[in-house]
Amino acid sequence: AQKVTQAQTEISVVEKEDVTLDCVYETRDTTYYLFWYKQPPSGELVFLIRRNSFDEQNEISGRYSWNFQKSTSSFNFTITASQVVDSAVYFCALINAGGTSYGKLTFGQGTILTVHP
Amino acid sequence: GAVVSQHPSRVICKSGTSVKIECRSLDFQATTMFWYRQFPKQSLMLMATSNEGSKATYEQGVEKDKFLINHASLTLSTLTVTSAHPEDSSFYICSADIRYQETQYFGPGTRLLVL
């Protein structure tokens, strides 16, 4: 069975600070996909990134960056120069590419990020 | 691209009534659609997986007679909460999967309040 752990329940920062959201996963499959979603107060989940298990390159998109390390089963998310609009709940998630759980997203518990002006 | 709509966004109903929620993929055909339930300050809980033209697959503990799912086409899935009770009050959110992309795109969610 797979599992995603986001140990940080809540994080509070002041605008312009950098913040890293941690994500650790467990899976027995060798092929899987990792995701980050943002859920603002409106409730809609916004897709941020997908990473497959064979691609360990880090990725940067504007103020967002992701660090994927298979050796530690981690897929951490960093926001640089945070802004108030970044305040949301962030979910890390995993999909296995095979087996009975194929296609099913396993979510972490979510991290509530609050950015204060 | 990859837009998923959900209707209604909010519904208040009396106990004992049935409520239908629609989930549509607007600009793509969805291989599979998923229905989730989310309680306040909690993560998403998968309720069921539906494929067009076939019966939905429900997760353990989810009553299939309570939560009826119909996947009539590659762009539409509906969830009907039958004989709703206050404990069914929750945030229901659907997602649609694009074939070969292994990525789910989510609708805006439906807040259900049963009085």
Side-chain angles (χ1 to χ4, degrees):
Chain A
Q2 56 276 5
K3 184 179 179 182
V4 177
T5 302
Q6 294 177 253
Q8 303 150 308
T9 305
E10 294 192 48
I11 299 176
S12 183
V13 299
V14 177
E15 210 168 17
K16 297 185 182 178
E17 284 186 19
D18 297 349
V19 58
T20 296
L21 309 181
D22 297 333
C23 173
V24 175
Y25 63 92
E26 296 175 28
T27 180
R28 292 179 181 175
D29 283 0
T30 56
T31 304
Y32 51 89
Y33 300 87
L34 295 164
F35 301 82
W36 276 95
Y37 287 91
K38 173 183 180 180
Q39 187 177 39
S42 60
E44 180 175 0
L45 260 75
V46 178
F47 167 76
L48 296 178
I49 190 172
R50 182 189 77 154
R51 236 342 164 226
N52 76 54
S53 53
F54 299 109
D55 183 1
E56 285 193 73
Q57 280 192 345
N58 292 328
E59 182 158 338
I60 298 175
S61 177
R63 295 184 298 107
Y64 296 169
S65 63
W66 292 269
N67 183 287
F68 175 29
Q69 293 194 346
K70 287 180 76 171
S71 60
T72 56
S73 297
S74 65
F75 186 44
N76 297 336
F77 173 32
T78 298
I79 301 174
T80 58
S82 60
Q83 300 176 1
V84 173
V85 293
D86 295 327
S87 297
V89 182
Y90 290 87
F91 289 99
C92 181
L94 175 147
I95 281 182
N96 284 320
T100 57
S101 61
Y102 175 73
K104 294 183 181 180
L105 268 173
T106 298
F107 282 93
Q109 302 92 319
T111 297
I112 302 171
L113 174 64
T114 304
V115 182
H116 299 281
Chain B
V3 178
V4 177
S5 71
Q6 209 170 319
H7 178 79
S9 59
R10 186 182 298 267
V11 58
I12 301 173
C13 69
K14 292 182 178 180
S15 185
T17 60
S18 294
V19 175
K20 180 185 282 188
I21 303 170
E22 290 188 351
C23 177
R24 292 181 185 272
S25 56
L26 298 185
D27 51 0
F28 65 98
Q29 291 186 330
T31 313
T32 306
M33 287 186 169
F34 302 83
W35 287 95
Y36 296 83
R37 183 173 181 177
Q38 186 180 32
F39 292 105
K41 296 196 174 184
Q42 292 189 24
S43 189
L44 283 76
M45 180 190 78
L46 178 65
M47 298 174 67
T49 303
S50 75
N51 293 288
E52 182 261 343
S54 61
K55 289 184 178 180
T57 302
Y58 290 81
E59 295 300 298
Q60 193 170 12
V62 178
E63 300 175 59
K64 56 183 68 176
D65 294 331
K66 174 75 172 176
F67 300 100
L68 299 178
I69 292 173
N70 183 276
H71 196 149
S73 73
L74 284 172
T75 60
L76 172 64
S77 176
T78 60
L79 168 67
T80 301
V81 183
T82 61
S83 186
H85 291 284
E87 58 266 29
D88 298 324
S89 298
S90 189
F91 186 60
Y92 294 87
I93 188 165
C94 72
S95 70
D97 178 87
I98 297 180
R99 186 187 292 272
Y100 305 129
Q101 283 198 17
E102 307 295 349
T103 299
Q104 291 182 29
Y105 295 91
F106 286 80
T110 298
R111 297 195 185 276
L112 171 64
L113 177 60
V114 185
L115 302 176

